[in-house]
Amino acid sequence: VVLIRSRKVGLVNRLVQLAILAYVIGWVFVWEKGYQETDSVVSSVTTKVKGITLTNTSSLGTRIWDVADYVIPPQGENSVFVMTNVILTLNQMQGRCPELPDDTTICTAKEDCAPGYVGTHSNGIQTGECVLYNSSIKTCEIFAWCPVENDSYIPKPAFLQEAENFTILVKNNIWYPKFNFTKRNILPTINSTYLKNCIYDSQTDPFCPIFRLGKIVEAAGQNFQEMAVEGGVMGLQINWDCNLDRAASHCVPRYSFRRLDSKDSAHNVSPGYNFRFAKYYKDQNGTESRTLAKAYGIRFDIIVFGKAGKFDIIPTMINIGSGLALFGVATVLCDIVVLYFMKKRYYYREKKYKYVEDYELVSS
């Protein structure tokens, strides 16, 4: 190996070393905090929704809707469903009635109906009779909860339009087991008076744990009244990225919002979010009836993520050692540049390597 004195070679070597030094200090230690031990968050979430609205319809009359009516179920695991629209079928009782008309249920005679037949979308079991559905259409008779639900028309605007003014209180407790660090999103600086009056705002109240439903949807770039008609799924994200080398007061939650279900106009088959439930009754004679509800609404999923870091000598020494080892790469990179990319690469190659002839010793 021949030592070559050249300003260009020395400059290349220094530039490579500076780049490695910048990577180790800037990226590994400053940006990625390579001197810290890290841990992932363990979290628990509880929610509480508040809000009352009034509806006045021909089928239900004047009615008040409170939390017990539109939050289903009352408690969920890291999520809460708020009903915003509904199709109600009142006073259903088990008996015989005509099926809803479609390609498989419309009939003209008894022979068109098969006793005991149950289709994928049937509301009951066919009896084998063909009966009048209305004055112009006949359908197969079924044994079912009658009258059957007709969900061909979804109420527009949404039945509970005022749901955008409802609020949700999110209580989140987090724990970093490696550092035995715990905290909750109701910060020590928040008192009961403030909690009763605050509503989350990213500018004025970024740490208030009470969220207006309409604002959550709006912050995700969606229109609440449009989403309320057929429902959807919203994500309320809580990020706990904490540097535990600083005071605990600096470890605070950061909130963000996004729509989780797909809203693609080109693929809009079975959009939104809905399910059915029923409330059952018995009269004095023991006759059972029910009210069937097809509920459309918004499910709010609370997603908690984050990590914490704290100084530890072991990752610090490992990253320092790795950084020092990288300086050995400087010589290799310098050789590559000098021997393959510089104008005088042939001259440097002749000086770096000494070529000898290969011959065999012939024995006498």
Side-chain angles (χ1 to χ4, degrees):
V1 179
V2 179
L3 177 62
I4 303 172
R5 291 187 178 181
S6 170
R7 291 182 179 178
K8 291 183 179 180
V9 176
L11 179 61
V12 171
N13 193 36
R14 285 193 293 272
L15 287 176
V16 174
Q17 289 178 341
L18 285 174
I20 292 173
L21 186 63
Y23 166 77
V24 172
I25 296 177
W27 177 260
V28 175
F29 282 96
V30 177
W31 184 259
E32 290 293 325
K33 296 182 175 60
Y35 55 88
Q36 290 184 333
E37 181 72 20
T38 60
D39 194 14
S40 299
V41 69
V42 178
S43 167
S44 69
V45 174
T46 58
T47 60
K48 183 182 292 185
V49 179
K50 288 188 177 181
I52 295 176
T53 188
L54 175 71
T55 61
N56 190 356
T57 62
S58 57
S59 58
L60 294 177
T62 302
R63 179 169 176 174
I64 287 287
W65 296 78
D66 61 15
V67 176
D69 296 311
Y70 59 74
V71 176
I72 310 158
Q75 287 294 326
E77 185 176 349
N78 294 347
S79 67
V80 58
F81 173 83
V82 177
M83 184 175 70
T84 56
N85 207 3
V86 65
I87 297 174
L88 292 173
T89 308
L90 304 175
N91 302 318
Q92 283 189 320
M93 291 187 290
Q94 291 197 11
R96 295 169 178 257
C97 54
E99 178 64 285
L100 289 177
D102 61 27
D103 294 340
T104 62
T105 61
I106 293 178
C107 60
T108 56
K110 181 176 180 180
E111 290 73 20
D112 296 330
C113 304
Y117 173 78
V118 180
T120 304
H121 302 289
S122 296
N123 288 292
I125 301 174
Q126 289 189 11
T127 64
E129 299 293 330
C130 182
V131 297
L132 284 172
Y133 177 79
N134 55 34
S135 59
S136 59
I137 299 176
K138 283 186 175 183
T139 61
C140 294
E141 184 185 62
I142 56 173
F143 183 76
W145 285 95
C146 300
V148 296
E149 175 193 74
N150 185 354
D151 62 350
S152 58
Y153 171 75
I154 302 174
K156 293 182 181 180
F159 194 65
L160 300 181
Q161 300 178 60
E162 295 300 317
E164 67 176 325
N165 296 317
F166 297 167
T167 60
I168 175 174
L169 167 63
V170 177
K171 294 190 284 186
N172 175 217
N173 293 271
I174 59 116
W175 175 41
Y176 287 107
K178 190 176 290 185
F179 309 120
N180 196 28
F181 178 85
T182 60
K183 200 164 188 179
R184 64 176 187 157
N185 67 326
I186 303 179
L187 303 177
T189 55
I190 295 177
N191 56 40
S192 58
T193 302
Y194 174 79
L195 195 61
K196 288 179 181 179
N197 297 282
C198 76
I199 297 292
Y200 172 84
D201 185 277
S202 60
Q203 301 299 322
T204 59
D205 292 281
F207 302 121
C208 177
I210 299 177
F211 304 86
R212 183 172 169 267
L213 302 191
K215 287 292 185 181
I216 293 177
V217 176
E218 181 183 337
Q222 304 293 316
N223 183 288
F224 185 90
Q225 293 301 332
E226 290 180 3
M227 192 175 183
V229 174
E230 294 183 306
V233 182
M234 288 295 306
L236 194 162
Q237 300 169 311
I238 309 177
N239 184 10
W240 290 90
D241 279 344
C242 298
N243 184 355
L244 299 184
D245 290 327
R246 305 174 68 185
S249 58
H250 290 93
C251 181
V252 293
R254 306 292 180 184
Y255 301 101
S256 59
F257 316 94
R258 64 171 299 174
R259 184 168 183 171
L260 300 180
D261 64 316
S262 176
K263 186 176 184 269
D264 186 354
S265 58
H267 303 86
N268 59 355
V269 177
S270 188
Y273 183 75
N274 64 79
F275 59 88
R276 291 176 175 84
F277 67 94
K279 295 183 178 180
Y280 295 85
Y281 311 92
K282 276 190 178 181
D283 61 18
Q284 294 179 347
N285 298 323
T287 303
E288 186 179 37
S289 64
R290 75 177 188 180
T291 296
L292 177 65
K294 183 177 182 180
Y296 298 83
I298 304 175
R299 192 183 77 196
F300 295 89
D301 290 345
I302 294 89
I303 305 168
V304 183
F305 58 96
K307 66 177 182 178
K310 194 173 185 179
F311 175 79
D312 191 275
I313 191 63
I314 294 176
T316 302
M317 296 307 297
I318 290 174
N319 283 305
I320 289 175
S322 300
L324 293 174
L326 282 176
F327 281 100
V329 178
T331 303
V332 177
L333 293 177
C334 183
D335 283 346
I336 293 173
V337 173
V338 168
L339 297 174
Y340 295 99
F341 297 100
M342 294 186 70
K343 291 182 178 179
K344 296 184 179 181
R345 54 185 178 274
Y346 301 109
Y347 170 74
Y348 292 133
R349 188 177 291 114
E350 289 177 0
K351 296 299 182 181
K352 181 174 179 65
Y353 301 107
K354 183 177 181 181
Y355 297 93
V356 296
E357 294 183 1
D358 186 14
Y359 61 92
E360 295 182 359
L361 293 176
V362 179
S363 58
S364 56

